[in-house]
Amino acid sequence: MTQWMVLYRKEWLELIRSSKLIWMPVVFILLGAMQPIMTYMMPDIIANAGNMPEGTIIEIPTPHASEVLAQTLQQFGTLGLLIIALISMGTVSGERMSGTSAMILVKPVAYTSFVTAKWAAIVTITAISFVLGYGAGWYYTAALFDTVAWQDAAGSLLLFGLWLSFIGTLTILFSSLLRSAAAAAFTALGTAALLSIATSLLPKALAWSPGKLAGLASAQLTSGTASGMWPVIGITFVCIIAALAISVWSLRKYPSIEAV
Amino acid sequence: MTLLTVEQLTKTFGGTCAVDGIGFTIHEGRCVALLGPNGAGKTTTIRMLTGLLAPTSGRIAFRGFAPGADHRSVIGFLPQIPALYGWMTGQEFLIYAGRLCGLSAKEAQIRCSGLLERVGIASAAKRRIAGYSGGMKQRLGLAQALIHRPKLLILDEPVSALDPIGRREVMELLRELKQETTILFSTHVLHDAEELCDDVLIMRAGRIAVGGAVSEIRNEHRQPILTLEIEQDEQSRNWLRGWLQAPPAYVQSTSANGGGARLVVTDVHAARRSLMGELLESDVRFTKLEIGHTTLEDLFMKVVTAS
Amino acid sequence: MDSISQEKLLVLIAPLIALQLLLTLISLIMCVRSKDLNGPKIMWVLIILLGSLIGPVLFFAFGRRSS
């Protein structure tokens, strides 16, 4: 455990030194706050765009606060996912390519600790950024539209947070299987997109797929319930553990790149 | 006392055999050089010893551990080019390495300052590693390999990437260290091995061609050698050319050597008498006839160039 | 919903604008001071300035050569 904490603290220090711990929360806050503001100002923006004959009255129905927050989640589901993939794409491959993994893994370090400490650091920074960003979205929605019940907001936060963590884990998995960091990010995002699409195309067959998490988070907001979430949550946890196990296996098999 | 026993260690990559069933033992307190030309399988052997590479077959047994057990806690390793976190300071990296080896925060701190002093980078301890020179990184790499007082220090080509001064300094450090711990280091330079080591393992094409204590190898493989030099007149040169084409039975091997020849011989007395006679008879104007012995370098060259 | 005045809206948005400026500024300073960029400096400056939110993100993710 002590050794795990040493590894985790090193990851944490790296997040600070590489300034990820500053820019990622800031970007998430902007991302979260932008959607309610844009939605609020949309009628004005359209009205000022010109091209409108004098006296045109634009009727845009005011969206419900929960819908605005659900749209905010969609922002996190695109740009947010991209950012998570970008910060975790070099987690394992970066150390392996630079040779630092070889320096560390000749010491009596458990391979599992090495991977899980990195994973925990990614999940931590994701959680911090997402809580702040979603909090900002919730605050601006409340200020500009209406307050969304905190229980629903919290429920959707947990569901969507799990989806984000799942993508972070996938990126770590691919960064331990592939040499190139960019390829790892690309594959993880591609897998996320495929999962989401497949889940919406085949809702019955993939009722338990992690791809449902984003939809469940929205449902929690708009209807107050996310029915059938427990199996999905369970499967997602199983997938996360399996992905970590494969990463550990891959690292144990290839601790460094220069084999000769 | 035996520290490490390796038996039938083999590694194949695809179809090529990088290490081919080698076996050796390392005794406690010895300094062992793994010597061989590039591509002989030195690095592959070392990576298997450190656990970074799984052997295709064979056995690595460390004293106090079951064969094949995880013995990483008793080895310290410095790769050919140490890879360090550029965003850490030297001190941070060293403490991190120590804590990973199970030292307490306090112990790691104490070991760290001692080692930084010892390898001579104490003044740069609080600077980012990204700004270190190659020599400084090598020293920090050495310090991190020593942080947990390993029983066996494994170094892969520790001096080959350094300039002559850095090389000298690291060699001096190793000379001190061999008083304290067992060292195995690989090199392709015979001189480095001869200078520092008690034992030497000469590798060629994935096998150990010669292995043992340096002094013993030197004695065992010592052969008498005759060095003959002649004046460069027509007659003497013709004679030598003819003579080398069909040398007498006592000559084991010959090699041309500037204005003469080096002859490895079997019976030094017979060789001396007979050659002297022939030289006088043919009136060869020789300038030098010397009797000596083969050096380790002759052996190394013989082993390495043997086909 | 139109109960919010222009001023109040500005007050709400101001911290966000400040954050956006901060982000741009931090990445600009890092970009200008960095000696080890992936590609020409001027390109990154333009990306940061023109790419509002995604510009700094791209710079942080790909701009600096990791050491």
Side-chain angles (χ1 to χ4, degrees), chain B:
Chain B
M1 199 153 42
T2 309
L3 185 64
L4 174 71
T5 311
V6 172
E7 285 167 10
Q8 286 300 313
L9 192 64
T10 303
K11 182 72 195 179
T12 50
F13 295 108
T16 55
C17 199
V19 172
D20 189 7
I22 62 170
F24 57 88
T25 53
I26 292 179
H27 293 278
E28 190 146 30
R30 306 288 281 187
C31 178
V32 185
L34 194 57
L35 184 64
N38 294 328
K42 302 186 301 273
T43 299
T44 308
T45 306
I46 280 184
R47 295 188 89 81
M48 285 193 279
L49 292 181
T50 56
L52 283 175
L53 199 61
T56 307
S57 65
R59 218 167 73 106
I60 298 170
F62 224 91
R63 199 184 69 216
F65 291 85
D70 183 359
H71 58 254
R72 292 180 296 170
S73 54
V74 290
I75 57 169
F77 173 54
L78 173 65
Q80 196 162 358
I81 300 153
L84 309 151
Y85 297 113
W87 50 269
M88 277 192 185
T89 66
Q91 186 177 358
E92 280 168 347
F93 189 85
L94 215 45
I95 290 178
Y96 177 56
R99 305 269 353 239
L100 287 181
C101 293
L103 303 186
S104 72
K106 204 174 153 197
E107 270 177 299
Q109 179 67 55
I110 294 168
R111 281 293 287 163
C112 166
S113 17
L115 278 168
L116 282 172
E117 200 67 54
R118 176 153 196 193
V119 300
I121 50 169
S123 58
K126 295 207 163 70
R127 273 169 38 201
R128 295 275 167 95
I129 296 170
Y132 280 21
S133 69
M136 289 164 81
K137 282 183 185 159
Q138 198 77 12
R139 288 144 186 254
L140 182 59
L142 199 55
Q144 64 83 34
L146 289 166
I147 191 94
H148 56 304
R149 301 180 195 279
K151 287 216 172 75
L152 176 62
L153 180 63
I154 301 179
L155 312 161
D156 192 5
E157 300 270 0
V159 293
S160 59
L162 299 177
D163 60 27
I165 296 168
R167 180 192 199 90
R168 191 72 265 137
E169 286 166 347
V170 170
M171 290 299 273
E172 281 310 311
L173 258 166
L174 291 182
R175 193 188 304 282
E176 280 176 37
L177 285 170
K178 68 183 253 202
Q179 313 296 326
E180 296 163 33
T181 186
T182 313
I183 300 178
L184 171 70
F185 77 90
S186 73
T187 178
H188 58 266
V189 183
L190 172 79
H191 184 71
D192 294 343
E194 234 181 336
E195 191 181 334
L196 217 55
C197 286
D198 310 311
D199 299 333
V200 64
L201 301 163
I202 303 182
M203 278 190 88
R204 198 189 97 84
R207 291 167 183 272
I208 291 183
V210 180
V214 172
S215 49
E216 275 171 33
I217 291 181
R218 201 178 268 139
N219 288 337
E220 225 168 85
H221 293 269
R222 202 154 90 138
Q223 284 178 307
I225 198 162
L226 281 175
T227 311
L228 172 67
E229 277 173 29
I230 53 170
E231 278 182 18
Q232 294 304 303
D233 60 301
E234 194 72 17
Q235 193 230 338
S236 303
R237 273 173 39 204
N238 281 340
W239 174 84
L240 184 62
R241 202 177 306 124
W243 191 80
L244 283 177
Q245 259 158 24
Y250 59 79
V251 175
Q252 204 175 49
S253 70
T254 62
S255 58
N257 168 17
R262 269 179 113 227
L263 317 166
V264 178
V265 296
T266 44
D267 181 348
V268 69
H269 296 295
R272 176 159 40 199
R273 213 173 305 122
S274 144
L275 184 58
M276 279 291 270
E278 280 190 71
L279 287 172
L280 291 173
E281 198 175 305
S282 312
D283 195 20
V284 177
R285 297 186 194 168
F286 64 94
T287 54
K288 182 175 170 185
L289 179 62
E290 191 183 59
I291 298 176
H293 289 101
T294 52
T295 59
L296 216 49
E297 190 170 350
D298 293 312
L299 173 65
F300 180 54
M301 288 312 290
K302 190 174 120 192
V303 165
V304 163
T305 55
S307 48

Side-chain angles (χ1 to χ4, degrees), chain A residues 89-108:
Chain A
M89 63 185 182
T91 314
V92 178
S93 60
E95 295 239 6
R96 195 147 48 190
M97 296 305 280
S98 70
T100 45
S101 62
M103 293 288 276
I104 299 306
L105 291 169
V106 292
K107 302 193 176 339

